[in-house]
Amino acid sequence: MKVICEGINLSEAILKVVKACATRTTVPLLECIKLTAKNDSLTLLATDGEISIQKAIKAEVLEEGDICVPGKYFNDFIKKLENAQITLIADGGRMEIKYDDSQTSMQVLSAEDFPKVSTDINENSFKMKSEDLKRVISSTSFCCAADDSRPNLKGCQFIIEEKSVCVTALDGFRLATCTAPIISSTGDMEIICPARTLNEIEKMIPSEGETEIFIQKGMILVSVDDTVLTSRLYGGDFIKKENIIPKAFSTTVIVDKAALLSSIQRAAILVRSDKNNLIIFDISSGMIEVSSNSDIGNVQEPVKAQTEGKDIRIAMNSKFIEDAVSSLEEDEVVLSFNSGIQPFICNNKENKDILYLILPVRTANNA
């Protein structure tokens, strides 16, 4: 393989695909980026077995071929050559990288055993505005589970029905759900997409225009310009949110988002080293008192609010409530409670298409 390309183009392409390289694996090829020189382009491909990202750039191909380079090192090295023209020459187990009046040699692997990645995924699809897709991902994916004990919870559930999509994520302690319109679909469908995949999709799609997502046999594909992302989907059943979200509440609070968020953030500072990051809401007529207590000190702040229903004292993980309130979009938010030991919800005052549910933490005062 022998190819000439611009350093800036190569560096930007590597930066996109290296995110699909495996980081902890016993298979060296999964840590690599496959380079394929053909016709007038250089195609970069990386996969960890779950997600794959492919990016093509224009290049002068003097000799066609393919090779696998160590992804992390190749990325770090080419990043320093963005202003240079680069020549890549692969022969056997080494590749020469020529730039300016210099050259470097890097060990490479044969591409023969690199995993096959299919981009023939087009059986079903749905299309929506890119800004709406970004919004449903950013509003929910942070609530996905991080551990492997329940794999399905590491992804977001997408339910496509008629002209809308409902996206749900939960980790066992909190739940997020967001609804948005779609432009078109091949029919009703339900999938569970890994949060990691969704976060990469959010980064690669533009802020304007439309994005079409293709689905087939447990796989998903998104293509933007010369970048193609494919990923496995999770199988099995997802928890039904209708069985978790309360239908009625005994206490509701309307509060200024900025004032509440600032108070939560200050209270969280003193407990961020504690196991539960615990803060407490004492809700009474016309006020939420936000407090926290630790060996470092304590915070106790009143926040004016419109309250309706009985007084309530409830403890919660400060990160969970901060994430939820900061993700809401309106100046005023609504908090709805039933008791100090039952799940409560947060949403916008007017637009109810985003909802967060949080489990409280039992303490000696509310057990």
Side-chain angles (χ1 to χ4, degrees):
M1 183 187 81
K2 185 174 182 180
V3 62
I4 302 171
C5 59
E6 296 300 323
I8 183 66
N9 296 337
L10 181 58
S11 179
E12 289 176 352
I14 296 170
L15 189 61
K16 286 182 182 294
V17 304
V18 75
K19 298 170 185 175
C21 289
T23 53
R24 292 184 295 272
T25 180
T26 57
V27 183
L29 279 173
L30 296 183
E31 297 177 343
C32 291
I33 296 172
K34 180 183 177 183
L35 307 178
T36 302
K38 191 173 183 180
N39 298 328
D40 60 351
S41 68
L42 178 66
T43 301
L44 296 82
L45 172 65
T47 181
D48 63 0
E50 179 178 88
I51 184 175
S52 71
I53 303 176
Q54 178 178 292
K55 171 73 175 175
I57 62 171
K58 289 185 177 181
E60 182 182 352
V61 177
L62 303 178
E63 185 179 330
E64 294 186 349
D66 50 23
I67 204 73
C68 292
V69 298
K72 181 180 182 300
Y73 296 108
F74 194 55
N75 176 49
D76 291 344
F77 192 82
I78 299 299
K79 195 185 298 181
K80 306 297 183 182
L81 300 174
E82 291 186 346
N83 296 322
Q85 187 179 74
I86 296 173
T87 301
L88 304 176
I89 305 172
D91 186 15
R94 303 197 75 80
M95 180 175 71
E96 287 187 2
I97 306 172
K98 294 185 176 182
Y99 48 97
D100 297 330
D101 296 324
S102 306
Q103 70 177 49
T104 297
S105 179
M106 184 175 289
Q107 190 173 4
V108 295
L109 299 175
S110 169
E112 287 184 7
D113 297 323
F114 193 83
K116 304 296 182 186
V117 175
S118 173
T119 55
D120 186 21
I121 300 170
N122 55 18
E123 184 177 332
N124 295 297
S125 69
F126 65 95
K127 183 187 294 185
M128 57 191 302
K129 289 182 178 179
S130 297
E131 61 180 316
D132 287 338
L133 180 57
K134 280 179 172 286
R135 181 170 177 264
V136 298
I137 294 173
S138 64
S139 298
T140 58
S141 62
F142 65 86
C143 286
C144 291
D147 62 78
D148 296 321
S149 59
R150 302 178 73 180
N152 279 4
L153 298 190
K154 293 176 67 179
C156 289
Q157 178 199 50
F158 280 63
I159 297 179
I160 294 95
E161 292 179 332
E162 298 179 350
K163 292 294 183 181
S164 70
V165 58
C166 181
V167 182
T168 302
L170 71 157
D171 62 6
F173 301 98
R174 55 179 172 170
L175 174 148
T177 183
C178 181
T179 303
I182 60 173
I183 297 169
S184 63
S185 71
T186 56
D188 294 352
M189 62 189 88
E190 179 180 336
I191 62 170
I192 305 172
C193 187
R196 178 184 169 213
T197 299
L198 292 172
N199 292 334
E200 292 304 327
I201 290 173
E202 183 188 3
K203 293 172 188 173
M204 69 181 279
I205 62 177
S207 298
E208 298 179 347
E210 301 172 354
T211 298
E212 188 165 14
I213 295 178
F214 296 91
I215 300 157
Q216 182 173 320
K217 295 180 180 177
M219 298 292 294
I220 187 172
L221 179 147
V222 178
S223 178
V224 178
D225 298 328
D226 293 319
T227 303
V228 179
L229 178 148
T230 64
S231 172
R232 296 184 184 277
L233 298 172
Y234 294 141
D237 296 326
F238 201 78
I239 293 173
K240 294 186 181 298
K241 64 179 183 298
E242 295 81 6
N243 298 335
I244 301 175
I245 300 173
K247 304 293 191 296
F249 301 93
S250 60
T251 303
T252 58
V253 180
I254 301 173
V255 61
D256 179 81
K257 172 188 167 179
L260 179 62
L261 184 59
S262 295
S263 189
I264 291 170
Q265 290 170 336
R266 285 189 290 271
I269 291 172
L270 298 187
V271 294
R272 61 188 174 194
S273 60
D274 292 355
K275 181 180 178 181
N276 291 320
N277 303 314
L278 198 68
I279 67 170
I280 296 171
F281 284 3
D282 273 302
I283 300 164
S284 57
S285 180
M287 183 185 70
I288 302 177
E289 185 176 86
V290 180
S291 63
S292 66
N293 185 46
S294 71
D295 293 338
I296 299 172
N298 61 77
V299 172
Q300 200 165 348
E301 295 189 6
V303 180
K304 291 181 180 180
Q306 302 174 45
T307 60
E308 183 177 332
K310 63 182 183 181
D311 294 352
I312 194 168
R313 177 184 174 87
I314 188 167
M316 67 204 69
N317 183 298
S318 61
K319 175 173 170 51
F320 294 171
I321 185 64
E322 182 180 344
D323 286 347
V325 173
S326 61
S327 296
L328 294 172
E329 302 156 334
E330 296 179 3
D331 292 338
E332 290 186 309
V333 299
V334 179
L335 310 178
S336 304
F337 307 87
N338 277 315
S339 75
I341 59 173
Q342 291 178 283
F344 66 96
I345 69 168
C346 318
N347 51 16
N348 293 308
K349 180 182 177 183
E350 302 296 336
N351 190 350
K352 303 297 185 182
D353 59 355
I354 299 178
L355 178 147
Y356 296 102
L357 177 144
I358 300 172
L359 290 181
V361 178
R362 287 176 178 263
T363 66
N365 292 328
N366 68 4

